[in-house]
Amino acid sequence: MLLAIPFCKAKDTTDIPPGFNANTWTKTVKHDGWRCQFRKGLGLLTAHARTTEITQWLFQRDWFAELQRRLPDGTVIDAELYCEDEPASSVPTYLRDASQPLRIAPFALPMYAGHRLIREAAIINHDRLQTLWSAYPFFEAPINLDVSYENDTVEGFVFKERAYEGWWKQKKVWSYDFIVVGKVPGNGKYTGQLGAIEIGLLASDGSIRKFGQCSGMDDAMRLADPFVVGETVVEVEYNGQLANGGLRHPRFTRLRPDKPKEDCRCE
């Protein structure tokens, strides 16, 4: 039986990780999707997200059948399942509908044909994945180069010195000032308090263009609720903009009483 290999966890960083060497480390794209392990053992291929098995939703796809047929026993591939131009929250919907295009981007090979490769140099493991990709054209190449942060599905980058340990994850972060254009009541532990704020910017014709909701306020601020709809300006951090104009993972940073709402405009 193939033993499960725990998911390698990456440390978060906003900068180049300490000790990074472009000649011995790899830097690969981190898509905004679901982390997934494919495990082949006893002639069967299974797929696992962090907390559940998802084989039943993938076996109908042609590329899954090809992996089942071609991969040798004792192989584990770590990959990202994602939807083109959609956030990670769209993956469950695409996962359950075999007619929807679900992309797969492999980024680590911790075991191959019964050989554990966890401590293998990342550049060697990357080359193994490149070779595997050339044999399985339905895979994406494990990209080892800078990709523009403007790419909607790029969430950040993963820096690796070893194949499956000591990873660092660098996420792109932007901040912008928005007008509070609405409020959402809290529920659950926040019942009776502020749940989230709706944010927007002034368009060229004077109308408000909404950019969705954000939270991230502490409990004291939720209770005090200092936000005045149509007047209060807030700074919001986010991890990129989606194809539909929405923000990826927006969160409240601070109030901006020094900034007039007239300055909060769409660029």
Side-chain angles (χ1 to χ4, degrees):
M1 179 177 290
L2 176 64
L3 296 177
I5 294 179
F7 282 96
C8 180
K9 295 182 179 179
K11 296 180 180 179
D12 290 327
T13 180
T14 57
D15 204 349
I16 301 298
F20 173 72
N21 184 325
N23 295 318
T24 58
W25 290 48
T26 61
K27 178 184 179 182
T28 52
V29 168
K30 169 68 175 73
H31 290 283
D32 186 22
W34 270 25
R35 183 90 173 267
C36 177
Q37 267 191 8
F38 295 92
R39 305 167 185 166
K40 177 73 178 291
L42 299 178
L44 295 176
L45 179 68
T46 57
H48 305 261
R50 288 185 184 274
T51 58
T52 186
E53 183 176 344
I54 57 175
T55 309
Q56 65 269 34
W57 293 305
L58 291 175
F59 77 93
Q60 301 176 51
R61 297 177 184 266
D62 292 342
W63 57 261
F64 190 86
E66 281 293 297
L67 277 182
Q68 162 78 26
R69 184 173 65 86
R70 297 190 190 189
L71 282 180
D73 273 0
T75 295
V76 177
I77 297 174
D78 204 341
E80 196 84 17
L81 295 175
Y82 72 98
C83 315
E84 193 71 44
D85 297 330
E86 296 288 347
S89 57
S90 300
V91 172
T93 300
Y94 280 55
L95 191 62
R96 290 168 172 80
D97 184 352
S99 67
Q100 295 287 350
L102 190 64
R103 307 291 295 274
I104 173 175
F107 55 82
L109 189 65
M111 180 179 284
Y112 187 74
H115 299 287
R116 293 174 69 89
L117 308 173
I118 290 175
R119 290 192 54 79
E120 181 175 65
I123 54 175
I124 295 176
N125 199 257
H126 180 271
D127 288 343
R128 288 185 192 272
L129 269 180
Q130 291 282 23
T131 301
L132 193 64
W133 167 73
S134 65
Y136 305 112
F138 43 83
F139 270 180
E140 289 186 30
I143 304 170
N144 187 28
L145 44 78
D146 284 342
V147 173
S148 170
Y149 269 157
E150 300 305 317
N151 185 317
D152 290 320
T153 61
V154 174
E155 185 183 24
F157 297 100
V158 176
F159 294 84
K160 295 182 283 187
E161 184 178 17
R162 298 291 176 188
Y164 216 61
E165 62 181 20
W167 291 4
W168 292 83
K169 180 169 60 178
Q170 179 192 51
K171 288 189 176 182
K172 53 185 177 181
V173 178
W174 282 287
S175 68
Y176 207 80
D177 297 326
F178 293 86
I179 305 167
V180 175
V181 297
K183 300 182 187 182
V184 180
N187 53 43
K189 65 177 286 189
Y190 296 122
T191 299
Q193 303 178 30
L194 178 67
I197 54 175
E198 296 177 334
I199 55 176
L201 295 172
L202 288 171
S204 57
D205 61 1
S207 63
I208 292 289
R209 179 185 172 188
K210 293 185 177 181
F211 284 81
Q213 302 175 5
C214 76
S215 57
M217 299 78 70
D218 60 26
D219 290 350
M221 183 164 285
R222 290 179 187 274
L223 283 170
D225 187 5
F227 306 103
V228 179
V229 173
E231 297 293 333
T232 301
V233 175
V234 295
E235 182 179 327
V236 174
E237 286 189 347
Y238 57 99
N239 296 108
Q241 194 166 5
L242 303 172
N244 62 9
L247 306 180
R248 179 180 286 119
H249 308 312
R251 59 263 183 203
F252 168 82
T253 303
R254 60 176 176 141
L255 296 169
R256 288 298 309 270
D258 57 312
K259 186 162 187 176
K261 64 179 182 180
E262 290 77 15
D263 289 350
C264 299
R265 297 183 175 276
C266 299
E267 294 183 351

